[in-house]
Amino acid sequence: VCFVCSGNICRSPTAEAVLRRRLAEAGLAGEVEVDSAGLGDWHVGEDVDDRSAAALRARGYPAWTHAAKQFRPADFEDRDLVVALDAGHERALRAMAETAADRAKIRMLRSYDPVAAEDPDGLDVPDPYYGGERGFEHVLDLVEAACAGLLAEVEAELWIHPNG
């Protein structure tokens, strides 16, 4: 599973941290590889934004070593699921996907949250980068809600295909 946002320092690493913890709690940490990437290259090599890290720490998520990277078309090959954090990311990923099989791997994160269908802002996880602390907490709220549904799908897929 690869989460993709703009620069790979706020939203996508937050989703990576949340899904990693959910998988560990479910006893599946060694069964599923999780990473994140950005569409742009302007933050490549940077750590998680301090405000994202603070929001995660406040909810008990462990720190980890992160180096932002850029998603490339070849990255589809090694991923079963590529999860976009907003509609712009989804469009860019679909344009980047070279095959129908690659396009089939793309999903919006909030599509896993049944409450998201009622949200007037749609399925986007808003970019908190230019806002205040509350924006980062809101992103974490949305990501946690969606990752519950994503975990259920991953568990079902592992049950259906227990050997990969």
Side-chain angles (χ1 to χ4, degrees), residues 10-163:
C10 296
R11 292 173 284 178
S12 59
T14 294
E16 177 184 350
V18 170
L19 186 59
R20 282 182 192 274
R21 182 161 95 179
R22 296 275 172 126
L23 289 165
E25 291 169 350
L28 298 172
E31 302 295 318
V32 180
E33 292 180 37
V34 181
D35 71 345
S36 60
L39 292 170
D41 65 357
W42 53 91
H43 293 294
V44 168
E46 292 182 23
D47 201 353
V48 175
D49 183 281
D50 290 340
R51 299 162 296 175
S52 288
L56 288 162
R57 272 194 314 276
R59 295 199 195 171
Y61 288 89
W64 80 101
T65 302
H66 176 77
K69 62 186 174 198
Q70 185 176 16
F71 192 86
R72 307 250 183 226
D75 292 330
F76 281 107
E77 184 177 330
D78 300 326
R79 282 25 178 234
D80 295 310
L81 185 61
V82 179
V83 184
L85 276 287
D86 71 27
H89 304 139
E90 181 187 34
R91 281 189 302 276
L93 287 165
R94 289 193 182 286
M96 187 184 301
E98 296 173 350
T99 67
D102 289 348
R103 285 186 292 282
K105 296 177 181 184
I106 302 167
R107 293 279 304 270
M108 292 280 291
L109 176 60
R110 291 200 67 212
S111 69
Y112 294 101
D113 180 357
V115 177
E118 302 165 15
D119 191 329
D121 294 326
L123 297 180
D124 287 352
V125 175
D127 188 351
Y129 189 79
Y130 294 104
E133 182 179 314
R134 179 63 194 126
F136 290 86
E137 293 168 8
H138 180 61
V139 163
L140 188 48
D141 291 340
L142 296 175
V143 168
E144 286 178 332
C147 278
L150 175 54
L151 176 64
E153 185 169 301
V154 167
E155 287 176 319
E157 185 68 21
L158 289 173
W159 182 76
I160 292 168
H161 303 287
N163 296 321

